[in-house]
Amino acid sequence: MEKKNIDWENLGFGYIQTDKRYVSNYKDGKWDEGALTDDANITMNECAGVLQYAQTVFEGMKAYTTEDGRIVTFRPDLNAARMVDSAKRLEMPVFPEDRFVDAVVQTVKANAAYVPPYGSGATLYIRPYMFGINPVIGVKPADEYQFRVFTTPVGPYFKGGAKPITICVSDFDRAAPHGTGHIKAGLNYAMSLHAIVTAHANGFDENMYLDSATRTKVEETGGANFIFVTKDNKIVTPHSNTILPSITRRSIMYVAEHYLGLEVEERDVYFDEVKDFAECGLCGTAAVISPVGKVVDHGKEICFPSGMEKMGPVTQKLYDTLTGIQMGHIEAPEGWLKVIR
Ligand code: PLP
Ligand code: COI
């Protein structure tokens, strides 16, 4: 299979249309058998549920080329399960978990020419999503849905790649107590757009959201969870019911404990203690582990000792181990890699 002629090393995080995508439709209470299609466009009624009341949920995953030339994806069963949680919370039908994984495998296989080569620094981003498609005008769930998976080759989420970023404490809230912060619904991202545009206009790369009830605890950013490293090398991550349960973060905590022998803690993290950490990173499928060099709280700067030039040493070890597992040169825990071909 010949790879596409793409400048893999210089890819950013953007959309490049690939050849095939998977589509399945839900009607009369059941999903059809689903199929791959060439058509990247969707035709729907002007009153479709997704257009009027934002009834849409999604996932984010990646396919990697390993050192020995296989194409793999990382823990897709967890994305399938999270999409079930998201769908239930928005009163959508569940797309069966085994079919989710199969749809991802089919779509990646069909776009194998777009999976970036090993060592290029790029990956194939996979976007499964589901939305209400029939006309809905009274506020209620749709009756018909479409589930789709498309792929796009991507480079680093933050422009500088592994260079530390600067983030600001947001004046806006991301998620309400008892709201939808813990699921991957498009609505959470729609309401973060003003906050991210504002952060960028003020010269910051991302927002740090605090808990909206007390504004004393660290939650997450618009697209990633936090990990912190204490001065005595403990890995700390915020516990909260209003953040997305990141698969990357759960994997990092496991790797820290079982591969690197580090102590790990998932607990309330008060903003007041952020100044005492040695290192800080954002973790997610898109972000991988992106180091944070500085947090700015309304003009007051917190500069981590790891600095603005490179990741801190513990973050680097976590990054090397996690990506080593994903790229197949460090042995993965049982069931973490799904071989696609
Ligand atoms: N938090 C938010 C708000 C996200 O959008 C994402 C991205 O999926 C994450 C965290 C990281 O989750 P994961 O590691 O499962 O990609
Ligand atoms: C992901 O990491 O997959 C996400 O969905 C986050 C988004 C900011 C791109």
Side-chain angles (χ1 to χ4, degrees):
M1 176 257 323
E2 191 139 328
K3 291 282 175 193
K4 296 286 170 181
N5 184 19
I6 291 174
D7 182 9
W8 308 107
E9 277 79 9
N10 292 308
L11 279 177
F13 196 87
Y15 173 72
I16 295 173
Q17 192 174 309
T18 57
D19 293 341
K20 302 279 183 190
R21 66 275 307 126
Y22 180 92
V23 186
S24 178
N25 287 296
Y26 181 90
K27 199 176 173 176
D28 300 327
K30 55 180 190 302
W31 290 103
D32 68 12
E33 68 279 12
L36 291 171
T37 168
D38 293 337
D39 193 355
N41 294 308
I42 302 166
T43 303
M44 67 177 85
N45 186 271
E46 61 191 354
C47 197
V50 60
L51 298 180
Q52 301 310 323
Y53 303 124
Q55 200 185 14
T56 178
V57 297
F58 70 100
E59 273 302 323
M61 314 159 69
K62 281 175 172 171
Y64 310 85
T65 303
T66 62
E67 204 167 10
D68 60 2
R70 290 171 302 158
I71 295 176
V72 301
T73 187
F74 186 68
R75 311 190 78 182
D77 51 321
L78 299 188
N79 295 92
R82 192 168 64 187
M83 195 158 187
V84 169
D85 295 339
S86 299
K88 285 183 176 166
R89 181 63 176 78
L90 292 199
E91 292 294 336
M92 302 167 92
V94 162
F95 195 73
E97 292 172 55
D98 55 336
R99 286 201 55 194
F100 176 104
V101 175
D102 177 59
V104 165
V105 169
Q106 283 192 46
T107 314
V108 173
K109 245 187 210 164
N111 294 298
Y114 292 90
V115 183
Y118 175 77
S120 63
T123 51
L124 188 74
Y125 188 71
I126 309 165
R127 174 54 62 88
Y129 60 118
M130 192 208 294
F131 50 92
I133 199 166
N134 67 297
V136 171
I137 193 69
V139 178
K140 62 172 187 171
D143 306 307
E144 296 173 15
Y145 293 84
Q146 192 164 93
F147 170 87
R148 295 178 78 99
V149 184
F150 72 78
T151 60
T152 182
V154 296
Y157 191 69
F158 294 104
K159 261 196 239 78
K163 210 107 165 125
I165 58 170
T166 301
I167 65 175
C168 62
V169 175
S170 181
D171 284 330
F172 301 100
D173 293 326
R174 194 192 86 92
H178 315 292
T180 55
H182 60 299
I183 60 159
K184 211 157 164 61
L187 60 91
N188 291 333
Y189 299 81
M191 52 80 70
S192 76
L193 296 177
H194 180 60
I196 192 67
V197 169
T198 305
H200 287 164
N202 291 329
F204 302 109
D205 297 296
E206 249 295 0
N207 283 300
M208 170 185 274
Y209 291 103
L210 303 181
D211 75 294
S212 51
T214 71
R215 289 190 157 253
T216 58
K217 289 181 267 185
V218 176
E219 292 250 295
E220 59 174 332
T221 69
N225 282 180
F226 279 105
I227 48 166
F228 297 98
V229 183
T230 65
K231 289 188 175 133
D232 55 358
N233 288 352
K234 199 183 288 172
I235 312 300
V236 177
T237 194
H239 171 80
S240 164
N241 295 329
T242 50
I243 65 175
L244 192 76
S246 159
I247 294 161
T248 315
R249 183 255 299 163
R250 285 181 266 164
S251 305
I252 288 168
M253 298 304 270
Y254 182 91
V255 159
E257 191 175 357
H258 296 97
Y259 281 59
L260 301 175
L262 299 170
E263 223 178 296
V264 298
E265 267 180 9
E266 185 180 351
R267 59 165 170 83
D268 285 345
V269 174
Y270 287 89
F271 181 70
D272 279 351
E273 57 179 313
V274 170
K275 62 179 188 332
D276 301 324
F277 290 121
E279 300 175 34
C280 172
L282 307 186
C283 57
T285 299
V288 191
I289 304 179
S290 299
V292 176
K294 197 193 287 187
V295 180
V296 181
D297 176 23
H298 302 90
K300 233 173 61 203
E301 295 192 350
I302 296 172
C303 299
F304 295 105
S306 47
M308 295 304 294
E309 282 312 308
K310 55 180 179 24
M311 335 192 156
V314 177
T315 306
Q316 185 74 55
K317 264 191 218 155
L318 292 170
Y319 180 94
D320 291 344
T321 314
L322 177 74
T323 56
I325 290 170
Q326 290 167 333
M327 306 287 173
H329 56 258
I330 295 177
E331 190 167 340
E334 180 76 28
W336 278 26
L337 292 188
K338 170 92 185 160
V339 178
I340 290 179
R341 51 175 277 175

